[in-house]
Amino acid sequence: MRLLRAVCLSAVLSVVPGCAALSTGQVGEPDYAAVAESNLRLGDEALERKDFLQAEKYYEHVRTKFPYLEVANEAELRLADLDFAQERYAEAREKFQTFIKLHPTHPKVDYAAYRMARTHFEDAPSEFFLVPPGAEKDQTEVQAAFSSLNAFIRQFPNSQYVAPAKEALDTTRLRLARHELYVASFYARRERWKAVAQRLETLLKNYPGTPLDERALFDLHAAYVRLTNTAEAQRTLQRVIEMLPGTPAAERARRMLGS
């Protein structure tokens, strides 16, 4: 019976992925290559198949065993990407920040800066399947994403990552504008018109260019009317004409101004 169990165990181990690697080192250790670049490639392959533990071992091996080679810097970036892939965004952010600090002139410093900004974007509350909706959630990470993406675009205007950064920035701008509109609506239901005006002015100043501009402007006009501030109400209608030229909203504003 014992012999039968031993034979069965041997057969199982022979088909378990990674068993060949276990024979050349400690339990769980991969079969490291002699060349640093080969280990980096093996780590990439492990990451591709979502074998995160093996990928980390390969990258750490490159980073610690070949510290004076350029490939060690690549391994540092891969370790940050590894955290990112596992949605460990705070850890990834710290690694990207460290890379930028230690290697400010590295050819891939823009990649590190973009990915660092992206950690805030990915760590923000999802817009899907939320109760309450995203606009009602804490906006700390969304605001951080907005600030860091803006900073990245200013610092690296010619980077290949500017296009996806701008796309993410547009998304965060809309989400923050939606939040301001939500808060303004909250105050409007309580007839706190000064607070409504302040929130809508913040929306239009900090997050312009979204599909919410039209509603924000007309809601702002209504708030100033409630505050009996005729001058600001008329100025807001003029802003509609200037910000949304040639649109039905601009025509509506002209009619309201009597022009």
Side-chain angles (χ1 to χ4, degrees), residues 106-168:
H106 192 276
K108 291 188 177 180
V109 70
D110 64 324
Y111 172 79
Y114 166 65
R115 294 284 277 182
M116 183 183 70
R118 190 87 192 189
T119 61
H120 289 295
F121 180 81
E122 299 295 341
D123 210 15
S126 173
E127 287 283 88
F128 300 102
F129 309 115
L130 279 180
V131 180
E136 301 177 30
K137 290 286 187 176
D138 178 71
Q139 302 296 302
T140 300
E141 286 299 324
V142 184
Q143 183 61 62
F146 184 77
S147 299
S148 55
L149 287 164
N150 263 315
F152 166 75
I153 293 168
R154 287 195 304 270
Q155 188 173 359
F156 302 99
N158 299 317
S159 171
Q160 63 180 309
Y161 305 107
V162 164
K166 286 183 176 179
E167 183 177 349

Side-chain angles (χ1 to χ4, degrees), residues 51-69:
D51 188 345
F52 300 128
L53 181 59
Q54 288 290 79
E56 182 178 13
K57 288 178 179 294
Y58 278 117
Y59 296 148
E60 280 291 357
H61 181 77
V62 173
R63 189 182 68 84
T64 59
K65 298 298 182 181
F66 306 93
Y68 302 111
L69 299 182

Side-chain angles (χ1 to χ4, degrees), residues 176-194:
L176 289 167
R178 190 179 294 133
H179 176 71
E180 294 296 333
L181 193 61
Y182 161 75
V183 176
S185 298
F186 172 85
Y187 286 132
R189 291 193 296 272
R190 289 154 180 78
E191 299 187 358
R192 295 177 58 183
W193 302 112
K194 185 176 181 180

Side-chain angles (χ1 to χ4, degrees), residues 200-240:
L200 293 173
E201 289 285 11
T202 296
L203 186 162
L204 293 163
K205 177 183 178 182
N206 295 341
Y207 316 116
T210 76
L212 300 178
D213 281 355
E214 178 180 341
R215 178 180 169 184
L217 285 163
F218 282 111
D219 284 359
L220 181 60
H221 169 264
Y224 282 132
V225 169
R226 293 280 192 155
L227 290 167
T228 64
N229 191 334
T230 304
E232 286 298 330
Q234 292 181 337
R235 189 177 72 85
T236 301
L237 292 175
Q238 189 60 44
R239 289 166 70 184
V240 175

